[in-house]
Amino acid sequence: QKEVEQNSGPLSVPEGAIASLNCTYSDRGSQSFFWYRQYSGKSPELIMFIYSNGDKEDGRFTAQLNKASQYVSLLIRDSQPSDSATYLCAATGNQFYFGTGTSLTVIP
Amino acid sequence: DTEVTQTPKHLVMGMTNKKSLKCEQHMGHRAMYWYKQKAKKPPELMFVYSYEKLSINESVPSRFSPECPNSSLLNLHLHALQPEDSALYLCASSQVVTGRSSYEQYFGPGTRLTVT
């Protein structure tokens, strides 16, 4: 079992729709959770971070954390073609974990 | 300002060469990281510096040698690399790190390394 699991996709959504990305983790000692966006050939760019249960919103992005169920999600509202990228879920606590990423394609 | 810079952007080196990668941040962060990323894989942690001291070495071969001259700078010295070491090398920084728990990490643009 991988410590952080993501659906590799690809996930395709039409422009303007909501994209929903999910991540589950196995280490209950994980405390901090991050979402990174990575375009092909580029470095990861921090999109959201969340440390407490509940929702956190920043512009078109909402991160959700449920520690009891051990999942983290990222919602992207009004998806744009420029959101097409790989999204990496990461967690730290007892260890540094990166998920393998979900490939998102937003279709114009 | 959430900028981490890395030089060079690209590096091609032979297996007998010695080269260095450089990373700089001016965010006042006290934790700095080196990661290695192969194509279509997530970043793999190599080293962590906390308050300029090496706190984590993920069993990285000795041909990779990190150095933290001050709180803003991080170097990775390379010697006698193998072709399988070709990858994107990423530097990151965060406010602090406690053990293996960190605040949000900001990545630099990376150095694309090719070993011939």
Side-chain angles (χ1 to χ4, degrees), chain A residues 2-58:
Chain A
K2 294 179 182 174
E3 291 81 5
V4 172
E5 295 208 47
Q6 297 180 251
N7 187 331
S8 62
L11 174 65
S12 294
V13 299
E15 184 174 355
I18 295 175
S20 178
L21 304 163
N22 299 310
C23 170
T24 58
Y25 62 95
S26 58
D27 185 346
R28 285 195 172 273
S30 296
Q31 300 165 347
S32 310
F33 303 88
F34 314 102
W35 283 100
Y36 290 90
R37 177 174 64 195
Q38 188 168 26
Y39 295 112
S40 181
K42 302 294 187 183
S43 66
E45 175 192 2
L46 182 68
I47 298 293
M48 293 288 287
F49 57 91
I50 187 165
Y51 303 141
S52 304
N53 275 332
D55 295 0
K56 179 180 178 183
E57 187 175 318
D58 183 1

Side-chain angles (χ1 to χ4, degrees), chain A residues 60-98:
Chain A
R60 297 186 295 114
F61 300 98
T62 298
Q64 299 173 316
L65 173 61
N66 184 322
K67 290 187 177 180
S69 300
Q70 295 177 251
Y71 83 77
V72 192
S73 64
L74 179 70
L75 299 177
I76 306 174
R77 289 182 299 280
D78 188 24
S79 296
Q80 300 297 309
S82 58
D83 294 326
S84 299
T86 296
Y87 289 79
L88 297 166
C89 173
T92 75
N94 292 328
Q95 188 55 277
F96 292 96
Y97 302 112
F98 271 89

Side-chain angles (χ1 to χ4, degrees), chain A residues 31-32 34 36 38 41-46 49 51 88 91-96 98-101, chain B residues 33 35 37 42-43 45 48 56 58 88 90 97 99-109 112:
Chain A
Q31 300 165 347
S32 310
F34 314 102
Y36 290 90
Q38 188 168 26
K42 302 294 187 183
S43 66
E45 175 192 2
L46 182 68
F49 57 91
Y51 303 141
L88 297 166
T92 75
N94 292 328
Q95 188 55 277
F96 292 96
F98 271 89
T100 53
Chain B
Y33 310 77
Y35 288 86
Q37 187 177 28
L45 183 67
V48 180
I56 296 174
E58 292 287 47
L88 181 66
L90 296 162
V97 62
R100 291 174 182 271
S101 180
S102 80
Y103 286 102
E104 60 276 16
Q105 297 179 24
Y106 296 90
F107 284 86
R112 177 76 57 189

